[in-house]
């Protein structure tokens, strides 16, 4: 199991969050198997395990993720160990009702990003936060993709960039889920915020900064590459300071990006590419959102793209 998780981390570039979830799911599998060797589990055993977890009030989404982890593990292990087959094949979790993703209205997004404090910001942390959240909303990045960005492409003996900002081309090059690379445009407001942040970025570097930290686009106050938890905490503070009546986390800005662009541009395939979705069915959930009342406030495809019709 450890070898498979290491394979996902090094070869498939799965995020630490996904790996932690898979590790928990594999621990459940080992506990449910008890004294029975894992290489002797059959399809019937897996179905029993799913029923037992369901009886413990594990929801359909959690069960589906557990089955995905188990199925992926056995698919890899069957080749490595010469197992006769994958005991998880054909086992499905109960269907879950698909809820609508939460998104801010355009007015709420503007209130969040156009606070008076943002216009007067001069401190590195405030400039960093403004650049981070403008970029999240501008380009629809996942949280792990944002924290993994370098300020430019770098390659040395100690570090090679996997995702980076290309300021001249007004885009970010991102290595997303499953090792899939995509280029995503960066709008005018995000570019302006990044150009304000980059000159002061080096002020957060320090003795603790290693090569990967020195290349990072966004840094914490201790000079290390910023962590997802810091991003979440700073966004919560910003939302509260803006007086928003809703809980705002980084994925809300990704949902808002997708919903607002799709409502204006009506190009599902383009939004799929920008979000890095493998299947268009994942993107189609945004077509269920009713944002007709927002159409008049759009500036072509995005309210902060800086383009005039």
């Amino acid at each position: 199991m450890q070898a498979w998780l290491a394979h996902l981390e090094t070869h498939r570039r799965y995020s630490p969050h996904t790996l932690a979830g898979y590790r928990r799911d594999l621990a459940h599998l080992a506990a449910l198997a008890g004294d029975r060797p894992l290489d002797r589990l059959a399809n019937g055993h897996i179905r029993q395990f799913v029923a037992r977890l369901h009886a413990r009030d594990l929801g359909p989404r959690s069960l589906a993720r557990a089955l995905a982890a188990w199925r992926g593990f056995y698919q890899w292990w069957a080749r490595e160990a010469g197992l006769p087959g994958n005991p998880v094949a054909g086992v499905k979790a109960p269907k879950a009702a698909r809820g609508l993703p939460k998104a801010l209205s355009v007015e709420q997004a503007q209130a969040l990003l156009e606070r008076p404090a943002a216009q007067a910001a001069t401190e590195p942390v405030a400039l960093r936060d403004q650049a981070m959240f403008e970029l999240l909303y501008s380009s629809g990045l996942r949280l792990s993709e944002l924290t993994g960005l370098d300020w430019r492409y770098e390659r040395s003996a100690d570090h090679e960039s996997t995702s980076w900002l290309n300021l001249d081309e007004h885009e970010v090059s991102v290595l997303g889920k499953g090792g899939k690379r995509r280029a995503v445009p960066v709008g005018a407001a995000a570019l302006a915020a990044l150009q304000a942040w980059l000159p002061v970025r080096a002020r957060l570097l320090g003795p603790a900064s290693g090569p990967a930290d020195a290349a990072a686009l966004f840094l914490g106050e201790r000079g290390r590459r910023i962590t997802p938890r810091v991003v979440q905490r700073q966004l919560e503070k910003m939302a509260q300071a803006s007086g928003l009546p809703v809980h705002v986390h980084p994925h809300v800005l990704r949902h808002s990006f997708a919903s607002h662009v799709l409502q204006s541009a009506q190009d599902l395939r383009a939004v799929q590419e920008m979000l890095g979705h493998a299947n268009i069915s994942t993107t189609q959930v945004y077509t269920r959102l009713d944002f007709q009342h927002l159409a008049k406030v759009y500036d072509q495809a995005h309210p902060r793209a800086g383009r005039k019709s």
Side-chain angles (χ1 to χ4, degrees):
M1 288 178 173
Q2 292 295 344
W4 180 62
L5 292 170
H7 167 77
L8 295 182
E9 181 177 15
T10 57
H11 296 285
R12 301 292 300 279
R13 299 187 182 277
Y14 277 41
S15 72
H17 177 74
T18 300
L19 291 171
Y22 277 14
R23 187 172 288 107
R24 288 192 297 270
D25 294 329
L26 292 176
H28 284 150
L29 176 63
L32 289 162
D35 295 333
R36 187 181 298 273
L38 293 178
D39 58 356
R40 296 185 184 178
L41 293 181
N43 192 266
H45 296 118
I46 300 299
R47 294 181 186 279
Q48 291 175 11
F49 296 165
V50 171
R52 287 164 62 181
L53 290 176
H54 192 44
R56 297 178 192 172
D57 292 328
L58 212 65
R61 293 185 185 278
S62 298
L63 289 171
R65 190 197 64 193
L67 283 169
W70 300 354
R71 189 178 299 111
F73 166 63
Y74 273 106
Q75 184 176 351
W76 173 84
W77 195 28
R79 294 192 299 266
E80 296 289 319
L83 301 182
N86 188 336
V88 192
V91 182
K92 296 181 180 180
K95 287 188 177 181
R98 193 169 192 182
L100 292 176
K102 294 180 181 179
L104 300 176
S105 68
V106 168
E107 292 83 0
Q108 288 173 329
Q110 303 285 37
L112 176 69
L113 296 170
E114 292 186 349
R115 313 170 324 285
Q119 312 305 320
T122 57
E123 291 300 312
V125 169
L127 292 171
R128 177 203 67 192
D129 290 352
Q130 187 70 20
M132 284 195 306
F133 303 132
E134 288 279 11
L135 184 57
L136 274 177
Y137 181 49
S138 167
S139 303
L141 302 181
R142 299 179 178 95
L143 177 55
S144 59
E145 293 169 347
L146 179 85
T147 58
L149 284 173
D150 287 351
W151 72 279
R152 64 181 182 183
Y153 176 77
E154 292 193 4
R155 183 177 182 181
S156 67
D158 299 314
H159 175 73
E160 182 175 5
S161 302
T162 57
S163 300
W164 59 88
L165 170 68
N166 189 336
L167 203 60
D168 293 335
E169 298 295 329
H170 299 182
E171 66 181 25
V172 286
S173 179
V174 177
L175 190 65
K177 283 187 175 181
K180 183 180 179 182
R181 180 168 297 284
R182 71 187 192 277
V184 188
V186 177
L191 283 171
L194 287 164
Q195 288 167 339
W197 154 244
L198 287 172
V200 302
R201 171 187 162 277
R203 288 163 59 181
L204 292 185
L205 291 171
S209 305
D213 301 316
L217 175 58
F218 297 115
L219 298 164
E221 294 186 65
R222 297 183 179 180
R224 300 283 182 86
R225 183 181 295 271
I226 201 162
T227 65
R229 181 63 194 125
V230 171
V231 178
Q232 292 168 339
R233 186 171 64 243
Q234 294 300 103
L235 182 55
E236 288 172 3
K237 290 180 181 178
M238 184 182 289
Q240 290 174 359
S242 303
L244 294 186
V246 294
H247 174 65
V248 182
H249 54 81
H251 222 64
V252 167
L253 292 181
R254 177 172 162 87
H255 291 323
S256 303
F257 157 85
S259 302
H260 299 170
V261 172
L262 185 59
Q263 175 63 30
S264 180
Q266 297 293 318
D267 190 336
L268 194 63
R269 288 287 182 184
V271 173
Q272 178 194 4
E273 287 297 319
M274 287 188 285
L275 289 175
H277 286 160
N279 298 312
I280 199 166
S281 61
T282 309
T283 317
Q284 283 175 331
V285 68
Y286 295 103
T287 65
R288 298 165 57 198
L289 297 171
D290 182 12
F291 282 96
Q292 294 297 328
H293 65 288
L294 302 178
K296 293 182 181 179
V297 302
Y298 288 119
D299 174 4
Q300 290 189 12
H302 194 282
R304 295 179 71 76
R307 297 186 291 271
K308 301 297 181 184
S309 57

